[in-house]
Structure formats: C-alpha cells, structure tokens
Amino acid sequence: MQARCRIKICGITRSEDALEAARLGADALGFVFYAPSPRYIDSATARRIISALPPFVTTVGLFVDAEAAAVRAVLNDVKIDLLQFHGNEDAQFCTSFGLPYLKAVRMAPEVNLLQYAVSHPSAAGILVDSFVEGVAGGTGATFDWERIPRDFGRPIVLSGGLDADNVGAAIASVRPWAVDVSSGVEASKGIKDSVKMARFIQGVRDATA
C-alpha cells in the first residue's frame, strides 16, 4: 500500500472555498501572489482568509519571478508556511527568505528533471507542472507522467491538469508525495466547486487506500 498522498488546493481566492477545502481534508492551500494570474490574491485578502483557517492546514505562497522586496512585503503581511517559486528563481534567491520552499518546474521537452533538481538541493520538494508556452501554471493541461524518474529520490508534488477522474491513475504512475490541483476543482477561474473538491480528495484517498 502506498503511503498517504498529501493534497494541496491551489488558487484560493475566497474564505468559503478555503474553509470548505480544509473541512474536506486538504493538507495545504495555495495563494497566488502573481498579478497576471486569474487566481491572483492581494495580501489583505489572503491575510483575512488565512486568519480564519483551522489548525494544521499549511499555507503556501506562490510567486513567479518576483522581486525579493515584493516577496518580503507579502511575508510581512501574511502568515505563509511554505513558499512556492514558479519562475526562473535560483537556489540562492529561494533560500533567502528563511522559509522552506517548493521549486516548480514546467515540463518542457528539454527538461531533465534529475538535472533540474540538482540546482535546488535545499528545496523541500520539486513540483512538476505542465508546460504551456507563456503561461506560468494553472493551465489544466497534463503531461507525460512517465518522464518523472522512478528513482528521483526527492519529494515530488505532482501538478498539471489533475482532476477527480485522473488523479488515481496519476498517483499510481508517479507515486508522488503530494498532488496539487487548481483548475480541476473549479467552477470558474479562482472559484472552487465544493463537489469537485470532495470528489478529488476522495479520489486521492481511494488511490492510496
């Protein structure tokens, strides 16, 4: 039996979605501090949502090639447990904020995941996402899970086009530490669907039962 796969619901913009995700059993919630994203959230709103969360729900702040001052401004305002960097940030930048971090990699054809991971030895995990030209994430597209080495040796967070219908197969194929979903549990961009979240979380549980 596979160990329990953790669940992150990303792109939270509303208190009711955050509380429902937590109630259903999400381990982590993602907040997108990247203005071009349709799931962007400002610090004041994120702070209000996070202040109402129950205990033991990890808060994740997502950034894409942000200036260090912009990251620090968010961290001064918002209680973030884990950082997630989705751009071309190097390891020195990622470690400079004193928090654990995930480093995301979009699986473009030329990406060698083992080589990429070497460049971020201190990352808490590597988040693998689909590659769509010009889009930083949240595309709803999947990629070939066979490209993830079975002997990777680092915690993998699997993202990219996951939903209730494919997450079981994804977990069976990749055996990730966690799965990360955004568009696959939405009614519209940035607005979560409670039924879709429930089905997704149940799908993860069934895959590791």
Side-chain angles (χ1 to χ4, degrees):
M1 182 180 72
Q2 181 175 337
R4 184 174 75 86
C5 182
R6 276 70 176 173
I7 301 165
K8 173 173 170 276
I9 307 289
C10 198
I12 295 291
T13 63
R14 306 191 303 170
S15 293
E16 55 264 44
D17 295 341
L19 292 172
E20 181 67 358
R23 185 189 71 80
L24 290 168
D27 299 282
L29 302 178
F31 299 87
V32 179
F33 300 102
Y34 176 57
S37 170
R39 301 170 183 90
Y40 168 75
I41 192 168
D42 61 75
S43 292
T45 306
R47 183 174 64 249
R48 175 174 52 81
I49 294 172
I50 289 170
S51 68
L53 289 176
F56 309 122
V57 178
T58 298
T59 56
V60 184
L62 188 156
F63 299 88
V64 184
D65 292 324
E67 297 290 334
V71 178
R72 291 194 179 96
V74 170
L75 296 180
N76 285 337
D77 286 344
V78 185
K79 182 186 178 298
I80 297 296
D81 300 313
L82 180 70
L83 297 169
Q84 180 174 325
F85 293 109
H86 255 267
N88 297 307
E89 303 91 354
D90 61 21
Q92 182 177 0
F93 180 91
C94 294
T95 58
S96 67
F97 304 100
L99 287 174
Y101 76 93
L102 297 174
K103 185 64 186 78
V105 54
R106 295 185 295 149
M107 294 297 288
E110 70 276 9
V111 168
N112 180 306
L113 199 55
L114 288 171
Q115 291 179 356
Y116 188 88
V118 169
S119 67
H120 286 275
S122 59
I126 302 296
L127 185 145
V128 288
D129 199 359
S130 303
F131 174 79
V132 176
E133 188 69 46
V135 183
T139 64
T142 59
F143 65 94
D144 181 4
W145 302 321
E146 292 298 320
R147 293 183 59 198
I148 300 173
R150 296 296 175 269
D151 57 348
F152 189 62
R154 303 276 296 278
I156 283 281
V157 179
L158 181 62
S159 186
L162 298 179
D163 58 29
D165 294 326
N166 65 15
V167 71
I171 290 171
S173 175
V174 177
R175 304 181 74 82
W177 173 257
V179 289
D180 184 1
V181 65
S182 184
S183 62
V185 293
E186 287 182 333
S188 60
K189 290 184 178 180
I191 307 299
K192 303 309 181 193
D193 182 303
S194 61
V195 173
K196 289 182 179 179
M197 287 196 292
R199 288 188 62 229
F200 183 87
I201 290 170
Q202 189 60 52
V204 175
R205 289 172 174 164
D206 290 345
T208 54

